[in-house]
C-alpha cells in the first residue's frame, strides 16, 4: 500500500525550489510539503511567506510530518537536523554528500534503530540513478570498477575552457546556474567528487571509507601548456572519481584524467555527469545525465520520496558479506607530470619513465608512479606542479612489475 507522506523541507535554494516545482507538476505522488524552514527572512521567493518557518523545531516536533527532506548547504546544521529527525522516527531524504560521506555509518545505524529510511540518491551525480542501481541491479554481479565524472561544476568549467571561456568566468556562470557549492573550493579541488566517490564505494563494494583517507586533486592547477598538450594528443581533460577493485583490495581517488577521443566520457560536457560501471557479467555500462542544477537534482529527490511511499530502504547487502574488502594504495598509475621548474619534476619518484620534454618555458614527463607516493602530496596547493592520469593507466603491483620487467628487457635489447 502506498504511504501518505507529509514532508518537512529544510532549505529552499536551487534544489529546494526545484523540488517544490517538480512535486507540484507530478500528480503521481501522494506527498505534500507541510512546512519549509529557511534562514533568510527577507529573500524573495516563488511562493508566499505563509509556507515558511525559521525554527527547525517547527518540523522536528510536528508529529504529522513523517518525512524530512534536507536540502541545506551547511553540513553541520544538516547533521544536527538529520540526527534528530531519524531519532524521532521520521524518514529522511538528503542530497548532502559531505554530510553523508562523513557520517554514513552513524546515520545508517540511527535509521536502523528507529526503523526508518535514509535515502540520498540526489547526493551522487544529480539525476543519474546510480545509488539504487548499485544497490539493486548489481546486487549479484561482481563489480570491478566504478568511475566517471561526478561533478557538474568542474566539468562545466573544463568544457567552457574548450570554447575559450576563462576559469573565473566559467566558475561564476556555474555559480549563477546553481551548479557550484556554496564554497566552490569543494568543487574545484575535487572534494565534492570525493564525497560522492565514498558513497559509490559503499554501495558498489560494501566498504565504508573515511573521506580523509581518499586522495582528491582538482582542476585549479591546470596551466595553458597542459591544455595544449591535451589538445595536441586529441585528449580532453576531465575530473574523474575512480574506484577499482583488484582481488580483495579497493582503491579510490579523484584526479584530472586525460580522456581519449574514443572513450565514452570524451563528449560528456558541461554539467553532465557520467558514471561507468564495470562488472563480471554485465561488462561495461554507462550512466549519463545532468549531475547538477535545480530540476535534475530535484528529480532524484522526487524519486526517493516516491520510493518511500513503498517503504524503500537501502539494504547494504554488500556491507554484510563475510569477506570484507580492504582499502589499499599499493597500485601504479601512468601520469603526465608538468612544471615550469624542471627540478620540481624530480620530487615525484617515477618507477618507469616513458617520455621527457624540456623547454625554457615548460617541462613534462610521462611514466609510471606508485599511487602511495602521489597521495602523500597536497597537489591542490602545489602551484608549481600539475599531474593528470593518462589513458590505460592503471596496474596493480603484480601487473606493473611484469610490465616493467618486460619493458626493461625490450629497452636493453634496443640499446
Ligand atoms: N556542486 C555539485 C556539482 C552539485 O557541481 O556537481 C551537485 O552535486
Amino acid at each position: 500500500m502506498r504511504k501518505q507522506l507529509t514532508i518537512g523541507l529544510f532549505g529552499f535554494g536551487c534544489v529546494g525550489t526545484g523540488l517544490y516545482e517538480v512535486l507540484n507538476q507530478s500528480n503521481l505522488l501522494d506527498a505534500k510539503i507541510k512546512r519549509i524552514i529557511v534562514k533568510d527572512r527577507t529573500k524573495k521567493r516563488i511562493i508566499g511567506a505563509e509556507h515558511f518557518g525559521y525554527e527547525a523545531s517547527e518540523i522536528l516536533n510536528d508529529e504529522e510530518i513523517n518525512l524530512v527532506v534536507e536540502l541545506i548547504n551547511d553540513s553541520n546544521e544538516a547533521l544536527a537536523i538529520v540526527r534528530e529527525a531519524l531519532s524521532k522516527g521520521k524518514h529522511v531524504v538528503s542530497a548532502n554528500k559531505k554530510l553523508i560521506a562523513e557520517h554514513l555509518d552513524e546515520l545508517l545505524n540511527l535509521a536502523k534503530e528507529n526503523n526508518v529510511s535514509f535515502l540520498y540518491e540526489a547526493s551522487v551525480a544529480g539525476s543519474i540513478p546510480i545509488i539504487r542501481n548499485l544497490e539493486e541491479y548489481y546486487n549479484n554481479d561482481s563489480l570491478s570498477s566504478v568511475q566517471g565524472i561526478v561533478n557538474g561544476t568542474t566539468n562545466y568549467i573544463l568544457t567552457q575552457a574548450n570554447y575559450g571561456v576563462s576559469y573565473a568566468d566559467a566558475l561564476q556562470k556555474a555559480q549563477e546556474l546553481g551548479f557550484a557549492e556554496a564554497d566552490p573550493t569543494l568543487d574545484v579541488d575535487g572534494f565534492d567528487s570525493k564525497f560522492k566517490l565514498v558513497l559509490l564505494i559503499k554501495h558498489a563494494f560494501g566498504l565504508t571509507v573515511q573521506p580523509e583517507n581518499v586522495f582528491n586533486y582538482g582542476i585549479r592547477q591546470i596551466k595553458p601548456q597542459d591544455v595544449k598538450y591535451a589538445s595536441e594528443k586529441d585528449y580532453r581533460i576531465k575530473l574523474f572519481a575512480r574506484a577499482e577493485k583488484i582481488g580483495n583490495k579497493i582503491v579510490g581517488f579523484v584526479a584530472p584524467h586525460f580522456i581519449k577521443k574514443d572513450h565514452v566520457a570524451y563528449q560528456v560536457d558541461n554539467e553532465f555527469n557520467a558514471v561507468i560501471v564495470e562488472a563480471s557479467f554485465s561488462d561495461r555500462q554507462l550512466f549519463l545525465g545532468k549531475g547538477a542544477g535545480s530540476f535534475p537534482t530535484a528529480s532524484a529527490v522526487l524519486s526517493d520520496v516516491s520510493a518511500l511511499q513503498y517503504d524503500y530502504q537501502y539494504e547494504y547487502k554488500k556491507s554484510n558479506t563475510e569477506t570484507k574488502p580492504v582499502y589499499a594504495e599499493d597500485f601504479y598509475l601512468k601520469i603526465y607530470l608538468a612544471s615550469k621548474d624542471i627540478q620540481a619534476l624530480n620530487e615525484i619518484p617515477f618507477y618507469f619513465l616513458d617520455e621527457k620534454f624540456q623547454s625554457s618555458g615548460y617541462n613534462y614527463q610521462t611514466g609510471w608512479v606508485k599511487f602511495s607516493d602521489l597521495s602523500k602530496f597536497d597537489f591542490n596547493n602545489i602551484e608549481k606542479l600539475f599531474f593528470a592520469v593518462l589513458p590505460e593507466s592503471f596496474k596493480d603491483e603484480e601487473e606493473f612489475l611484469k610490465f616493467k620487467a618486460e619493458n626493461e628487457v625490450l629497452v636493453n635489447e634496443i640499446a
Side-chain angles (χ1 to χ4, degrees):
M1 212 180 78
R2 281 208 287 174
K3 180 189 238 129
Q4 209 211 322
L5 296 167
T6 305
I7 302 173
L9 173 61
F10 284 89
F12 205 65
C14 175
V15 183
T17 314
L19 178 66
Y20 186 87
E21 295 198 60
V22 294
L23 259 178
N24 270 350
Q25 285 172 35
S26 160
N27 47 18
L28 301 171
L29 276 182
D30 197 0
K32 67 164 200 298
I33 298 178
K34 184 176 177 190
R35 201 81 185 132
I36 306 169
I37 302 300
V38 290
K39 262 192 172 160
D40 186 345
R41 291 171 192 244
T42 56
K43 194 170 162 186
K44 264 209 159 351
R45 299 192 166 90
I46 57 166
I47 48 173
E50 68 281 7
H51 294 276
F52 298 99
Y54 306 96
E55 297 298 330
S57 57
E58 290 181 53
I59 285 179
L60 296 170
N61 293 342
D62 184 334
E63 285 185 9
E64 198 201 353
I65 291 177
N66 53 359
L67 166 59
V68 165
V69 177
E70 178 284 303
L71 301 172
I72 64 174
N73 283 325
D74 185 318
S75 61
N76 292 327
E77 273 180 42
L79 176 62
I81 290 165
V82 172
R83 274 186 182 142
E84 194 172 337
L86 293 172
S87 305
K88 289 192 159 156
K90 299 183 192 302
H91 301 293
V92 172
V93 170
S94 171
N96 199 322
K97 48 263 156 164
K98 182 172 190 293
L99 155 79
I100 305 165
E102 285 176 345
H103 301 277
L104 187 57
D105 282 353
E106 179 208 323
L107 297 174
L108 300 188
N109 288 336
L110 208 50
K112 210 168 164 190
E113 278 165 24
N114 291 283
N115 197 23
V116 286
S117 298
F118 177 43
L119 302 181
Y120 42 82
E121 187 63 71
S123 64
V124 180
S127 67
I128 299 178
I130 190 65
I131 301 283
R132 229 178 300 159
N133 270 300
L134 290 173
E135 271 293 297
E136 309 296 338
Y137 184 86
Y138 295 100
N139 192 30
N140 294 307
D141 203 348
S142 166
L143 295 166
S144 55
S145 133
V146 178
Q147 58 182 299
I149 301 164
V150 293
N151 181 269
T153 302
T154 46
N155 207 42
Y156 184 82
I157 294 171
L158 292 169
T159 306
Q160 293 300 311
N162 288 334
Y163 304 122
V165 180
S166 75
Y167 174 93
D169 287 351
L171 174 58
Q172 195 188 337
K173 188 80 184 151
Q175 287 175 306
E176 285 163 17
L177 290 166
F179 304 155
E181 298 300 303
D183 171 6
T185 318
L186 294 177
D187 295 299
V188 295
D189 282 355
F191 287 93
D192 178 80
S193 295
K194 168 166 82 171
F195 298 136
K196 292 166 177 168
L197 184 65
V198 165
L199 300 182
L200 290 173
I201 291 174
K202 178 71 176 175
H203 288 274
F205 304 115
L207 182 70
T208 303
V209 205
Q210 291 312 312
E212 64 266 26
N213 296 333
V214 179
F215 174 84
N216 60 290
Y217 177 38
I219 64 166
R220 259 191 316 125
Q221 308 298 3
I222 299 175
K223 315 278 186 303
Q225 293 91 332
D226 308 315
V227 176
K228 187 164 169 264
Y229 173 89
S231 89
E232 280 169 8
K233 302 269 179 193
D234 254 346
Y235 295 153
R236 279 194 181 151
I237 307 177
K238 301 279 179 195
L239 186 65
F240 253 55
R242 187 163 174 183
E244 306 267 356
K245 184 167 191 270
I246 301 164
N248 200 33
K249 289 182 189 170
I250 310 277
V251 299
F253 62 99
V254 175
H257 279 54
F258 286 133
I259 300 298
K260 274 167 58 172
K261 220 171 188 163
D262 59 0
H263 192 286
V264 289
Y266 183 87
Q267 281 181 324
V268 176
D269 281 342
N270 290 317
E271 77 271 34
F272 275 85
N273 281 190
V275 182
I276 301 141
V277 176
E278 289 185 57
S280 302
F281 307 134
S282 48
D283 211 317
R284 192 157 72 135
Q285 292 180 304
L286 167 73
F287 293 80
L288 176 71
K290 284 192 174 170
S294 179
F295 280 11
T297 313
S299 78
V301 177
L302 184 74
S303 172
D304 279 350
V305 173
S306 163
L308 274 173
Q309 290 201 304
Y310 302 95
D311 283 322
Y312 179 75
Q313 300 191 338
Y314 303 137
E315 287 184 64
Y316 302 96
K317 287 195 198 107
K318 291 171 208 150
S319 299
N320 300 325
T321 52
E322 272 176 22
T323 34
K324 297 253 179 291
V326 290
Y327 195 67
E329 291 203 328
D330 53 345
F331 63 97
Y332 292 77
L333 283 179
K334 189 174 176 186
I335 65 162
Y336 156 100
L337 179 73
S339 180
K340 278 185 183 158
D341 169 7
I342 189 150
Q343 293 308 328
L345 299 181
N346 298 329
E347 288 173 23
I348 312 295
F350 274 64
Y351 287 72
F352 193 91
L353 204 58
D354 254 359
E355 193 189 356
K356 215 171 165 121
F357 172 83
Q358 292 180 14
S359 73
S360 53
Y362 211 55
N363 313 285
Y364 69 78
Q365 61 194 41
T366 65
W368 289 86
V369 295
K370 198 169 184 175
F371 179 73
S372 52
D373 291 334
L374 276 187
S375 69
K376 292 191 186 99
F377 291 84
D378 177 14
F379 280 97
N380 282 318
N381 293 308
I382 306 177
E383 171 70 21
K384 63 182 175 184
L385 284 175
F386 171 72
F387 90 82
V389 179
L390 284 156
E392 284 122 35
S393 58
F394 181 89
K395 292 188 195 294
D396 69 9
E397 189 136 37
E398 200 182 324
E399 284 171 330
F400 176 72
L401 293 176
K402 193 163 164 251
F403 156 86
K404 189 168 178 261
E406 284 168 4
N407 280 276
E408 277 167 357
V409 168
L410 215 65
V411 170
N412 289 338
E413 278 172 8
I414 294 165

